[in-house]
Amino acid sequence: MELRVDRQTLADAVAWAARTLPARPALPVLAGMLIEATADGELTLAGFDYEVSARARDDATVTEPGLVLVPGRLLSDIVRNLPPQPVDIFTKGAEVVVRCGPAEFGLRTLPVEDYPTLPEPPAQAGTIPSDLFATAIGQVTPAAGRDDTLPMLTGVRIDIEGDTMWMACTDRYRIAARELTWSPADSGFTAGVVVPARTLADTAKAIRRGEDVAISLGGAGDNLIGVSGGGRSMTSRLLDDQYINYKSRLTGTWSSIAEIRVAPFTEALKRAALVTERGTPIQLAFTSGEVRIRAATGDSARANESLEVEFTGDDIDIAFAPQYLLDGLAGIDTEYARLECAGPTKAALLTAIPDKKDGDEEAPGDQADTGYRYLVMPVRLNS
């Protein structure tokens, strides 16, 4: 193998492929990164841990095509620290040499014949703009569980019916969901799968912006999902598709409704959280035209702040874990949010209120739905 490639192009490709490298590989070869150069000038780097695979394809000047396996994390560290000059990669005996300007490294190759076959994704089910994909994943994944003993809760539930896609996560204390429109290959396509949230979150952050992302899903017997776009692709094993009926929990009758500006509310919550200890809630007292935000840690510190709100319904004093509320607000990119409550001990619903368009005289609450829902359980206060 012998090739030359732009340093930044190589760094981006290596970073993508290195995402799947296991910290403690079950087999030594799984610590390797596969490098393939073809005669038509395509460079592919790949990593695989039997659960998730990642491939990056880019153009390179290939003098001699070939396929090699090298220590992946070491290659990633090397490439990240190379000077901004073209990179030459070639084999020399049992080594792969990486040369960039005055710097040269030799990596001992791993037995490529022992490397497992990379999985091929199912058929393409449809496409979605990369920015929309990344935004939706960023909105829902903060609510995913972290307890691996409950695998279902560590995933993103994706439901598809024609051109409508729902994404949702829950850790039992909150549900974050997003409804959006995508472009299915078949207008009658339906699916319901659970994908590891950490994998999707990493993919959404790293996928190139400005291009469509292709989603690949098979039939009922297929346990893989594929996501690809801009020369980057990944596959992941699916989790058990059993999931709570989250949609039914996102509707209800609300006795108290507040519309509040997101930025001032977020900053006030962050200030109040400064005096809270782990497990200490923030109290919100809603009355006509005002919300009073209170927090305290015993007798050692307290915070008290008031903000203007548009409020209708019954006055309410309700408390939340501050980070849970902040996570929900972080998923809102409009000026106003709506918080709907049905009592101090029942789950509250946080939604985004679309910004008014220029010349639109309607109130913020009269605008179209953004598709984002965040249901959060309050903390029961001691009477």
Side-chain angles (χ1 to χ4, degrees):
M1 172 190 286
E2 185 175 355
L3 62 93
R4 170 168 283 198
V5 62
D6 175 75
R7 183 261 177 195
Q8 190 57 51
T9 298
L10 179 64
D12 291 344
V14 168
W16 175 268
R19 296 162 49 255
T20 62
L21 296 176
R24 291 183 292 275
L27 298 172
V29 291
L30 295 181
M33 186 177 295
L34 205 60
I35 304 176
E36 182 178 11
T38 63
D40 58 359
E42 183 176 82
L43 172 65
T44 301
L45 292 97
F48 183 38
D49 69 354
Y50 283 119
E51 297 293 328
V52 182
S53 74
R55 298 186 223 199
R57 292 185 173 90
D58 282 294
D59 294 332
T61 303
V62 179
T63 305
E64 182 179 345
L67 178 68
V68 295
L69 186 68
V70 299
R73 292 189 181 276
L74 181 56
L75 178 65
S76 178
D77 290 341
I78 289 170
V79 171
R80 192 166 53 245
N81 289 282
L82 291 176
Q85 298 182 41
V87 181
D88 294 307
I89 300 175
F90 56 92
T91 53
K92 186 177 181 181
E95 277 190 343
V96 169
V97 178
V98 179
R99 182 182 295 159
C100 181
E104 181 177 301
F105 297 87
L107 301 177
R108 191 84 174 174
T109 59
L110 300 171
V112 69
E113 63 274 10
D114 293 342
Y115 198 72
T117 302
L118 292 169
E120 291 298 325
Q124 182 174 312
T127 60
I128 181 173
S130 58
D131 290 343
L132 179 57
F133 175 76
T135 297
I137 293 296
Q139 287 175 314
V140 302
T141 51
R146 306 291 189 268
D147 185 356
D148 290 331
T149 63
L150 296 170
M152 179 193 76
L153 299 183
T154 67
V156 179
R157 172 73 182 192
I158 300 177
D159 288 302
I160 299 170
E161 294 182 11
D163 65 355
T164 301
M165 176 186 290
W166 277 84
M167 296 182 183
C169 289
T170 182
D171 59 6
R172 294 182 296 177
Y173 304 105
R174 52 191 171 154
I175 300 172
R178 172 69 194 270
E179 181 183 8
L180 49 88
T181 300
W182 79 314
S183 301
D186 176 0
S187 60
F189 182 78
T190 62
V193 297
V194 184
V195 188
R198 188 179 300 115
T199 299
L200 270 189
D202 288 346
T203 301
K205 290 175 184 175
I207 205 83
R208 289 175 174 174
R209 298 294 189 266
E211 302 183 31
D212 282 350
V213 172
I215 307 294
S216 299
L217 282 170
D222 203 314
N223 68 341
L224 283 181
I225 185 174
V227 178
S228 61
R232 305 290 183 260
S233 63
M234 60 77 71
T235 65
S236 174
R237 287 187 180 274
L238 300 173
L239 300 173
D240 189 331
D241 63 1
Q242 293 184 356
Y243 210 75
I244 66 169
N245 183 5
Y246 63 92
K247 293 182 184 178
S248 67
R249 306 185 187 199
L250 299 175
T251 58
T253 302
W254 314 103
S255 56
S256 307
I257 302 174
E259 295 184 356
I260 189 167
R261 291 179 62 202
V262 174
F265 190 35
T266 299
E267 293 305 314
L269 290 172
K270 288 179 179 179
R271 285 190 289 270
L274 295 174
V275 303
T276 63
E277 294 179 341
R278 184 177 178 83
T280 305
I282 287 179
Q283 292 180 239
L284 305 177
F286 288 96
T287 55
S288 179
E290 181 185 68
V291 57
R292 189 155 61 94
I293 303 165
R294 311 189 309 279
T297 299
D299 297 327
S300 61
R302 64 178 180 82
N304 195 327
E305 185 170 348
S306 294
L307 293 176
E308 290 184 2
V309 297
E310 291 289 333
F311 183 75
T312 57
D314 301 333
D315 291 355
I316 187 171
D317 200 343
I318 190 168
F320 298 99
Q323 193 55 54
Y324 281 10
L325 206 51
L326 289 169
D327 284 345
L329 289 166
I332 296 177
D333 59 3
T334 55
E335 183 179 2
Y336 285 87
R338 181 185 294 111
L339 183 65
E340 299 173 279
C341 307
T345 61
K346 295 183 179 180
L349 184 66
L350 183 67
T351 55
I353 301 176
D355 296 328
K356 288 194 298 184
K357 297 177 182 179
D358 291 341
D360 194 337
E361 295 301 324
E362 293 179 335
D366 295 330
Q367 302 297 306
D369 191 350
T370 67
Y372 176 63
R373 302 280 189 279
Y374 188 85
L375 189 77
V376 57
M377 287 297 299
V379 177
R380 190 182 295 270
L381 295 171
N382 295 326
S383 55

